[in-house]
Amino acid sequence: MALAIRFHDQLSQTSTTSFRDETLRGLAATPKWASPKFFYDRRGSELFEQITEQPEYYPTRTEVAILTQAASEIAEIAGPDADLIEFGSGASRKVRLLLEAMRPTSYLGIDISDDFLRSSTQRLAADYPWLDVHALSADFCDELHLPKGFDSRCPLAFFPGSSIGNFTPAQAQQFLRRLHSLLPVGGGLLVGVDLVKDRAVLEAAYNDAAGVTAAFNLNLLERIRNELASDIDPARFTHKAIFNAVQSRIEMHLASVEEQTVIIEGRRFHFEAGETLHTENSYKYSLESFAALARLARFDSIQQWTDPQQLFSVHYLKR
Ligand code: AVI
């Protein structure tokens, strides 16, 4: 019999306020920006799942292939008492490979997308009746506390998908430091990191021919139109994704197709034709540059796995 999921909510009651306040702050800045964490309402989470199935978007299938090969080695390094904590659990598909190899007692999924988290952890609880499943809806960019009732002596934190690349290197280091203090000595962090490569391969991954990434990016404007008092029209913006080689990052933007003024919560924001709203960075690392970043956060790099084409990497870090 599946144990009931224990659902814990740490999303502040102010999450709508923070969407509103951050949106207004980003649009008032020069250049204009928006935080990528607001991509993930239900529609955005669904679109992201579709992105992972696009032929151009290599990270997901490559990481799955790496994890499939490495799962038993990961289980061995983690040890028999390890429990799993997944950050940004989304559809929780990759973690199944680890659950099957490790057979932990407990699993904690953490995600900002509340109802998406509920349905994916419900599926895990149904499929793994031996697993004690916890779900925590939280913004892990904020201060994080493990929920009461999830007691693990030896947790392995899992942060897949190169989500760490959506932080600037300074923010990534800060996030790793916070994880370092959250984990007990001996605790591990398994993190998926996208590798720097040919511009053409990178740009294709963020400009899929089916237009799913474009819809994902534009969905942010749908959210502004639906959740805030706004006349913003997504049809008057286009998706743009380019590789910035100096910063080693893919940048996603929404470019205004014409000169226009939009109203959000009573405030007016002017766009020149072609002016962009910078919506996301996706940093790409080398194996060495990521290991160096992890060392700055006082983690030891225990093992790294990659694919034959060196597209993607998975790092086992230990506290
Ligand atoms: C979630 N994150 C790691 C994805 C990425 O590749 O940076 C988000 C994404 N944005 C556009 N496509 C995918």
Side-chain angles (χ1 to χ4, degrees):
M1 241 259 293
L3 291 166
I5 300 171
R6 275 175 269 178
F7 199 87
H8 315 266
D9 192 352
Q10 255 176 42
L11 272 182
S12 58
Q13 300 313 314
T14 55
S15 64
T16 318
T17 331
S18 96
F19 177 50
R20 176 188 175 277
D21 292 354
E22 280 202 45
T23 301
L24 292 176
R25 200 148 51 89
L27 275 154
T30 313
K32 296 179 173 60
W33 58 269
S35 170
K37 70 184 179 194
F38 298 119
F39 280 139
Y40 301 93
D41 63 347
R42 176 162 271 281
R43 172 89 184 120
S45 298
E46 281 165 4
L47 284 166
F48 178 65
E49 287 310 308
Q50 287 177 37
I51 288 176
T52 65
E53 288 156 16
Q54 298 310 302
E56 298 92 337
Y57 195 77
Y58 61 85
T60 309
R61 62 172 179 277
T62 311
E63 188 179 37
V64 167
I66 294 171
L67 289 172
T68 305
Q69 280 223 322
S72 52
E73 207 182 331
I74 292 167
E76 212 169 291
I77 301 173
D81 298 327
D83 291 303
L84 261 176
I85 305 175
E86 187 181 19
F87 287 86
S89 54
S92 294
R93 248 188 265 119
K94 292 167 199 162
V95 80
R96 289 170 180 257
L97 296 164
L98 300 181
L99 290 173
E100 281 156 31
M102 291 169 58
R103 303 269 306 184
T105 306
S106 308
Y107 164 85
L108 169 66
I110 306 176
D111 205 287
I112 193 169
S113 180
D114 195 299
D115 51 351
F116 209 70
L117 175 69
R118 276 177 203 270
S119 43
S120 62
T121 46
Q122 257 151 14
R123 281 195 298 276
L124 283 184
D127 294 346
Y128 302 106
W130 41 266
L131 187 64
D132 187 12
V133 177
H134 296 251
L136 172 64
S137 76
D139 177 359
F140 51 75
C141 300
D142 294 342
E143 192 71 40
L144 202 70
H145 308 281
L146 293 183
K148 285 203 182 72
F150 180 82
D151 302 310
S152 175
R153 275 181 298 130
C154 187
L156 173 63
F158 181 43
F159 193 35
S162 199
S163 294
I164 194 136
N166 297 132
F167 294 135
T168 64
Q171 290 167 334
Q173 193 188 323
Q174 209 180 34
F175 175 73
L176 290 176
R177 279 177 185 264
R178 267 193 281 132
L179 274 187
H180 189 275
S181 46
L182 196 73
L183 292 171
V185 177
L189 169 62
L190 189 69
V191 55
V193 180
D194 198 11
L195 296 175
V196 66
K197 61 185 68 63
D198 232 44
R199 170 185 295 275
V201 178
L202 283 168
E203 289 188 347
Y206 292 82
N207 288 287
D208 61 279
V212 185
T213 308
F216 172 74
N217 199 5
L218 286 159
N219 181 56
L220 192 66
L221 303 184
E222 298 282 356
R223 273 199 80 176
I224 295 176
R225 182 164 66 176
N226 297 336
E227 295 176 34
L228 305 178
S230 178
D231 66 352
I232 200 161
D233 179 1
R236 296 173 79 189
F237 290 83
T238 52
H239 162 75
K240 191 171 153 188
I242 46 149
F243 182 56
N244 177 335
V246 175
Q247 305 269 10
S248 196
R249 69 188 190 200
I250 282 280
E251 292 181 6
M252 290 215 312
H253 296 261
L254 289 163
S256 180
V257 295
E258 59 203 344
E259 187 183 352
Q260 58 176 314
T261 299
V262 300
I263 299 175
I264 305 174
E265 301 276 312
R267 286 175 56 183
R268 298 166 73 81
F269 299 98
H270 184 77
F271 282 87
E272 297 296 336
E275 185 182 348
T276 73
L277 171 63
H278 186 172
T279 52
E280 186 181 58
N281 290 316
S282 194
Y283 282 83
K284 311 301 170 187
Y285 290 89
S286 65
L287 290 174
E288 299 72 29
S289 65
F290 187 76
L293 182 77
R295 269 196 303 277
L296 288 174
R298 298 194 293 272
F299 274 106
D300 291 329
S301 179
I302 298 294
Q303 180 70 278
Q304 301 169 341
W305 297 269
T306 183
D307 54 291
Q309 290 175 273
Q310 303 252 307
L311 293 172
F312 199 88
S313 61
V314 174
H315 298 240
Y316 199 116
L317 310 177
K318 216 163 191 171
R319 185 193 195 286

